[in-house]
Amino acid sequence: MKIFKLLLLLAIITKMPVYAQNSWNENETFIEAERNEKIQTMKSTLHIASNIKNVSVIINGENQGLAPITIKNLSSGIYHLKLEKKGYKSSYSVIKLLPYREEYYYIELSEEVNNDNMQEQLSPKT
């Protein structure tokens, strides 16, 4: 406490501004909230394509349609992206979408290996 009083006295003498730690300024809080609101309204666009046509595109558990697809008016944030099609291994990605951006994703799917088909191919023909 003595150090604070000494610094305060020194600030008064030298006319230096004093900043207290843990100060709360209502105007700064309002400006930060306003800035966050503006960022949320700055919508982004996501373009998704794949090496396989008509792949289901699922974002945060909701089916968006078939790739290739363009999804507009997305808020910035973290999204869970899944591409799936019968006969192919599904692809899972977590993407961070920044405000007022256009993001492009090209995702390759590979065919699922079916053990029954492999057994038929490997067994000798008689």
Side-chain angles (χ1 to χ4, degrees), residues 98-113:
L98 298 175
Y100 202 64
R101 296 274 176 101
E102 277 196 54
E103 299 284 339
Y104 295 83
Y105 289 89
Y106 179 82
I107 300 170
E108 292 192 10
L109 298 183
S110 57
E111 288 188 58
E112 281 185 340
V113 177

Side-chain angles (χ1 to χ4, degrees), residues 73-90:
N73 296 320
L74 290 171
S75 297
S76 61
I78 304 293
Y79 290 90
H80 298 270
L81 173 65
K82 178 181 177 184
L83 271 66
E84 65 181 10
K85 184 172 182 172
K86 187 174 181 176
Y88 293 88
K89 292 181 186 176
S90 295

Side-chain angles (χ1 to χ4, degrees), residues 108-125:
E108 292 192 10
L109 298 183
S110 57
E111 288 188 58
E112 281 185 340
V113 177
N114 186 341
N115 290 335
D116 295 334
N117 289 343
M118 275 186 76
Q119 199 61 275
E120 288 175 15
Q121 292 174 355
L122 295 176
S123 55
K125 295 183 181 179

Side-chain angles (χ1 to χ4, degrees), residues 48-64:
I48 301 170
S50 179
N51 60 323
I52 308 299
K53 291 189 187 239
N54 298 322
V55 174
S56 293
V57 176
I58 301 160
I59 296 180
N60 292 346
E62 292 186 28
N63 193 333
Q64 301 294 317

